[in-house]
Amino acid sequence: MQFDVVIVGGGPVGLAFAGSLSGTGLRVAVVEPQPREALAAPAFDGREIALTHRSQDILRQLGAWDRIPEEIPSALREARVLNGGSPYALRFDTTGRQAAELGRLVPNHVIRRALFEALAPEATLLTGQRVTAMEADVEGARLALADGQRIAAKLVVAADSRFSTLRRLAGIDAETLDFGKAMLVARLRHTLPHDHVATEWFDYGQTMAMLPLNGDVSSVVLTLPPDEIARLKEVDGAEFSAEITRRYRERLGAMELISTRHTYPLVAVYARRFTGRRLALLGDAAVGMHPVTAHGFNFGLHGQDILARRIKAALSEGRDFAAGPVLRGYEAEHRQATRGLYLATNATALLYTSDRLPARVLRGAALRLGNHLRPVRGAIVSRLMEEDGAGARA
């Protein structure tokens, strides 16, 4: 089978990229191990995505945003960072800005379903398939699938997770940082209102985030050693609810588990290269972020948008859309947009999860300094919102 672009990975970034190429005339295929039914109706996976204004704009242009029921997105009006036992909070809000919210929270599975529904019918879905080998030369790339089929393309795109098989097959190394912790996510109903304020609490011995959903419901993101996370995933619902209420010091009153629980390892990944011969890495295959700054999903959407724009520009000029200059341009732009925040996020996560005395002192001082340095806080809010990014792209 011959295509112009083959995307390996039918997650949100892979589907978004396929949608971004709609109307270009390129023959696009998506290779995904899951069955088609899992793409059409993805299951709840616990992850609530904080979409920036720019990401919402990208989803609108892809025709996906209007497929998300209007009662689902939850406004994120303020974010607070807490440290240890101190009540002092570093606050981020929209004071002095036109927008009324930092962003919106939307469940990951809802975004995936919307992107699938918005996918142009000319895109070919090769579901239930895994890539087992790849080779490339100046003419194009060829992939071998687990069932023995072989497919060829002018460009192959790896969007198959931070543990990317295609990245490994291409011989591209990646920086990895294993934080030695695991993360548990679940939804809880509570008796006190959250006022659409998200909280990131770097306690001693645990990290807890509470993400405000519509109604008196929040998503808990709890980080602990893997054995503790495994225990909490298995205890009965009543015991889990009581423990989360206690761990969160009843800030939202009594809490009740209302969803399934899901766990994920905490490993950050940054590919040494984002491109190869007739190959580009997208999403977590290129940059797999620690979730503390909530930018991983947004980076994935932005990266595919950068690559799609550069491909369209090459096509409009009659150039080879998968040639080295096009791919290197994408890599340079995406690396500039992600590298600094990737390093800063890892440093923040390491500092605020260390319980050593020097780190405790520095943690508290950094929060207070952040509240008093208005230009710095304003720059962080702009980065969180990316409201200017949406306008720049339009």
Side-chain angles (χ1 to χ4, degrees):
M1 292 182 286
Q2 177 71 49
F3 298 95
D4 295 307
V5 179
V6 171
I7 302 164
V8 180
V13 173
L15 293 177
F17 185 60
S20 291
L21 296 182
S22 177
T24 61
L26 296 175
R27 295 164 295 171
V28 177
V30 179
V31 179
E32 167 58 40
Q34 295 185 92
R36 184 185 181 94
E37 294 75 21
L39 296 183
F44 174 75
D45 62 12
R47 291 177 286 189
E48 309 289 343
I49 307 301
L51 292 169
T52 65
H53 292 260
R54 180 183 174 191
S55 290
Q56 293 171 51
D57 179 64
I58 291 172
L59 291 175
R60 287 188 185 94
Q61 293 191 25
L62 291 172
W65 185 261
D66 291 341
R67 297 174 186 273
I68 298 173
E70 61 180 11
E71 69 274 11
I72 288 182
S74 177
L76 180 55
R77 298 193 179 120
E78 183 180 332
R80 298 175 186 170
V81 181
L82 300 169
N83 176 50
S86 172
Y88 187 84
L90 174 58
R91 299 170 183 263
F92 302 101
D93 58 29
T94 61
T95 300
R97 298 171 184 270
Q98 292 184 345
E101 55 198 38
L102 295 170
R104 293 187 183 182
L105 289 156
V106 181
N108 183 59
H109 74 288
V110 172
I111 299 172
R112 291 181 61 188
R113 184 179 64 215
L115 285 166
F116 179 83
E117 292 174 354
L119 193 62
E122 61 263 27
T124 300
L125 290 176
L126 302 175
T127 54
Q129 297 279 10
R130 294 182 182 275
V131 174
T132 58
M134 183 187 75
E135 57 183 22
D137 54 32
V138 293
E139 299 298 325
R142 290 157 297 282
L143 300 174
L145 304 184
D147 67 353
Q149 291 188 79
R150 295 184 66 83
I151 56 177
K154 296 178 182 177
L155 175 67
V156 174
V157 173
D160 55 343
S161 87
R162 67 189 63 201
F163 307 110
S164 171
T165 296
L166 203 60
R167 187 181 65 216
R168 177 179 56 80
L169 290 174
I172 298 176
D173 292 332
E175 302 172 20
T176 60
L177 178 57
D178 189 336
F179 293 90
K181 302 287 180 66
M183 176 178 71
L184 181 147
V185 289
R187 289 182 176 184
L188 298 107
R189 182 179 291 112
H190 39 80
T191 56
L192 298 179
H194 50 51
D195 297 321
H196 287 274
V197 175
T199 302
E200 184 83 38
W201 179 30
F202 296 101
D203 193 16
Y204 302 132
Q206 66 175 8
T207 299
M208 292 187 77
M210 283 291 175
L211 306 179
L213 308 180
N214 291 323
D216 292 329
V217 175
S218 291
S219 173
V220 62
V221 184
L222 177 62
T223 301
L224 288 168
D227 57 341
E228 277 292 286
I229 290 294
R231 178 187 66 81
L232 278 169
K233 187 178 181 182
E234 299 303 324
V235 299
D236 67 48
E239 183 178 347
F240 178 85
S241 301
E243 182 162 343
I244 297 300
T245 300
R246 175 185 60 78
R247 283 180 176 274
Y248 202 55
R249 300 187 182 178
E250 301 187 11
R251 290 184 176 94
L252 293 172
M255 308 185 83
E256 176 190 4
L257 178 67
I258 60 170
S259 76
T260 49
R261 287 163 275 182
H262 301 264
T263 61
Y264 300 94
L266 281 182
V267 179
V269 174
Y270 202 93
R272 303 285 185 185
R273 293 183 286 118
F274 293 172
T275 62
R277 178 170 285 179
R278 298 285 168 173
L279 173 71
L281 309 185
L282 284 181
D284 284 357
V287 184
M289 296 284 288
H290 187 289
V292 66
T293 54
H295 264 80
F297 187 97
N298 294 292
F299 276 162
L301 275 185
H302 305 170
Q304 67 81 29
D305 184 62
I306 292 168
L307 181 57
R309 284 192 284 109
R310 288 183 174 271
I311 286 175
K312 291 174 183 177
L315 289 171
S316 69
E317 297 167 4
R319 295 184 287 120
D320 182 352
F321 72 88
V326 176
L327 301 184
R328 287 193 295 270
Y330 151 70
E331 175 167 21
E333 186 175 349
H334 195 40
R335 186 175 293 274
Q336 183 178 21
T338 59
R339 185 60 175 171
L341 189 56
Y342 173 82
L343 294 173
T345 296
N346 290 347
T348 299
L350 290 171
L351 171 64
Y352 279 91
T353 55
S354 173
D355 292 336
R356 295 181 179 180
L357 182 58
R360 290 190 182 195
V361 173
L362 186 56
R363 284 162 57 165
L367 287 191
R368 293 182 180 274
L369 187 62
N371 261 340
H372 288 90
L373 293 177
R374 291 186 180 181
V376 174
R377 189 172 52 166
I380 293 173
V381 170
S382 294
R383 185 73 181 187
L384 289 172
M385 296 176 66
E386 288 193 312
E387 55 180 343
D388 293 333
R393 288 189 65 261

